[in-house]
Amino acid sequence: MKKPDIVEFFARLAADNPHPETELEYSNAFTLLVAVVLSAQMTDVGVNKATRALFAEADTPEKMLALGEDELKAHLRTINFYNTKAKNVLALSRALIEQHGGEVPEDRAALEALPGVGRKTANVVLNSAFGHQTFAVDTHIFRVGNRTGLARGKTPLEVELKLDRNVPQPFRLHAHHWLILHGRYTCKARTPECWRCVVADLCAYKPKTPAPPARKPDRGA
């Protein structure tokens, strides 16, 4: 995708959704970090259902450790791989207390050193909690980047680095949210809804999905 088209691409997404945000529910950097760790192979809706009660009880590393493994697992039973994730949440809580004074560090390397935290999670926290211009490449962004021609790559890191190179101001801060939401609700994996896409004419995807046929009126009405 050429630079003028990239500018127009994000200008349209911004006009359609001026203030995009993560759909994970959180109250501070710690609860955001935990929510993102729990979101692996889960929907945001599923994570939010589990964390509302959890974060009401434990919104700091200290409170999370005090909760204990059994009670934490009870909160997370609806989360995929909740046993492993519960252990990671407790381990990262302990590490935050012992290594960072109970605070979530504003540093990629320090975040990635925490149990259960990878590059994508670190990028989400840096962006949403601290306002860094990072690009957290999940399955949605990976698909949208490759399908549209915005940022093609064989790995999430390749896509991330191309986004970092290609996305201009003033769109860099919110770019990954626009792309996630676009992939989640419009540029879907199986059947992209091209007929209602605001950037369809800028997209390299050739077999554009036509609009579904209009429903015939119910004669019995």
Side-chain angles (χ1 to χ4, degrees):
M1 194 179 292
K2 296 179 181 179
K3 186 173 181 179
D5 290 340
I6 293 175
V7 172
E8 180 65 17
F9 183 96
F10 281 105
R12 292 185 195 177
L13 293 181
D16 192 54
N17 184 6
H19 305 291
E21 296 179 345
T22 176
E23 294 184 322
L24 290 172
E25 296 174 4
Y26 67 98
S27 59
N28 55 32
F30 174 70
T31 53
L32 174 63
L33 174 61
V34 172
V36 180
V37 168
L38 296 176
S39 71
Q41 296 180 285
M42 281 290 299
T43 65
D44 288 357
V45 171
V47 173
N48 292 337
K49 285 181 180 179
T51 57
R52 285 183 191 124
L54 171 63
F55 292 159
E57 290 187 46
D59 60 356
T60 67
E62 293 82 1
K63 291 178 183 177
M64 193 66 73
L65 280 182
L67 203 60
E69 186 171 337
D70 289 342
E71 191 165 349
L72 177 55
K73 286 181 179 180
H75 278 286
L76 302 182
R77 288 194 185 280
T78 57
I79 298 284
N80 292 336
F81 310 110
Y82 71 91
N83 283 315
T84 298
K85 290 179 180 179
K87 291 178 180 178
N88 282 336
V89 167
L90 292 176
L92 72 83
S93 297
R94 188 174 295 106
L96 289 174
I97 294 168
E98 294 176 352
Q99 301 169 24
H100 303 285
E103 300 294 326
V104 175
E106 189 178 346
D107 177 80
R108 182 194 303 281
L111 285 167
E112 289 188 38
L114 296 171
V117 178
R119 186 177 181 90
K120 184 189 76 172
T121 297
N123 279 336
V124 173
V125 173
L126 288 171
N127 180 273
S128 295
F130 299 111
H132 289 221
Q133 296 173 8
T134 54
F135 303 88
V137 179
D138 67 350
T139 55
H140 296 300
I141 293 186
F142 186 79
R143 179 176 67 255
V144 172
N146 277 285
R147 181 183 278 169
T148 63
L150 175 66
R152 287 194 169 115
K154 294 182 179 180
T155 66
L157 181 58
E158 283 185 31
V159 172
E160 177 190 336
L161 295 178
K162 285 189 178 180
L163 288 172
D164 194 22
R165 186 167 67 245
N166 294 342
V167 178
Q169 295 290 13
F171 308 112
R172 293 177 62 81
L173 180 62
H174 297 307
H176 96 266
H177 284 128
W178 281 314
L179 294 174
I180 287 172
L181 295 172
H182 189 64
R184 185 173 290 164
Y185 297 113
T186 303
C187 195
K188 299 176 181 178
R190 291 187 179 180
T191 308
E193 298 182 0
C194 304
W195 71 89
R196 65 178 191 87
C197 174
V198 297
V199 293
D201 59 310
L202 303 173
C203 170
Y205 184 66
K206 294 300 182 184
K208 297 288 196 293
T209 309
R215 289 186 177 181
K216 294 182 179 180
D218 186 349
R219 293 181 180 179

